[in-house]
Amino acid sequence: MDRREIAALLAYIGRLDPRSIRTDQGEARDQLAQWHELLGDVPMATPHGWDARVATRQHYRTSPYQIQPADVVRPWESYRRNRLALHSDPTPSADPDDQAAWTAELVGTRHAVATGIAQPAQARAITSSQEGINPRLQARLDQIGSCIPPAARAALAPFRPARAAREAAVAQGLPDALSVRCEWCLAPVGEPCRRRRIGPNDGVRAIAPRATPHPGRLDLASQQAQRTEQARQPAPA
């Protein structure tokens, strides 16, 4: 914001909170200089969602204290972080062999996104976003049941025996053994059971993942599934 925009923001703040008004000319000049020094790199508004007046109004809606420059800077920095978190760098149009031009375009794109000049390129947000999944993608997932097609899953099964066994058990209606911790090998939730190889001196020589869970883990998963099912049952009238 330039000094004219800072003055407009201070006037707006004065309408919301008369305590912030400086009637002395010297104090008003010092206040303007201080806010301009601290908010000089914060825009008044951007084309995509940022407005310093909205941040000011939100402050007075949630706090009884007089606003300070930091109360505007904090939401601005949060706005920048959130936009960059949604952004996936598109491939620059510059020559990849020209490292300076390539880097400059990446930096320029990120700066435009962070400052609200351009919208984030949301390549990562195809399946996960605040606005929900793409309807066409959801229909495709409903059709095949997974983001991995059945043919690809079958081809990967020999290389993922533990996961293949888990998926087969769930498909047969059996409890998911990996949803609980194994009390035998201490494998945590989500990880396959482990096979320990004992050496001649009773020391553990190696630990290898098992394709199938230990029986005790299966029993524990069954018990947990039964408790969950009982908890879902309506209470008797």
Side-chain angles (χ1 to χ4, degrees), residues 162 165-166 177-178 182 192-193 210-218:
R166 180 186 190 186
L178 272 63
C182 182
C193 288
R210 286 170 52 100
T212 56
H214 286 107
R217 193 175 192 181
L218 283 171

Side-chain angles (χ1 to χ4, degrees), residues 16-160:
L16 297 179
D17 183 8
R19 296 174 300 174
S20 64
I21 298 175
R22 299 293 183 264
T23 56
D24 181 80
Q25 185 175 1
E27 291 182 357
R29 184 171 55 251
D30 292 342
Q31 183 189 43
L32 178 60
Q34 178 199 31
W35 280 67
H36 182 254
E37 176 70 21
L38 297 174
L39 299 181
D41 60 344
V42 178
M44 174 67 84
T46 69
H48 302 291
W50 165 258
D51 194 317
R53 291 160 296 189
V54 173
T56 300
R57 185 166 63 249
Q58 182 63 25
H59 169 80
Y60 281 113
R61 291 183 61 184
T62 58
S63 173
Y65 301 105
Q66 292 190 45
I67 193 169
Q68 299 297 326
D71 297 317
V72 179
V73 174
R74 276 195 300 270
W76 166 245
E77 294 297 335
S78 177
Y79 170 86
R80 286 168 51 89
R81 287 193 300 270
N82 291 339
R83 289 180 64 81
L84 286 176
L86 293 173
H87 179 65
S88 293
D89 290 320
T91 302
S93 59
D95 184 354
D97 294 329
D98 188 346
Q99 184 63 45
W102 181 277
T103 304
E105 185 172 342
L106 279 178
V107 172
T109 301
R110 292 180 185 178
H111 178 74
V113 169
T115 54
I117 298 174
Q119 287 284 50
Q122 298 183 355
R124 293 196 211 110
I126 293 177
T127 59
S128 177
S129 70
Q130 295 180 350
E131 298 179 357
I133 192 170
N134 183 287
R136 293 178 58 188
L137 181 59
Q138 183 62 60
R140 179 60 175 162
L141 289 176
D142 293 341
Q143 178 184 0
I144 65 176
S146 170
C147 58
I148 302 179
R153 188 179 299 277
L156 291 173
F159 305 98
R160 308 185 305 171

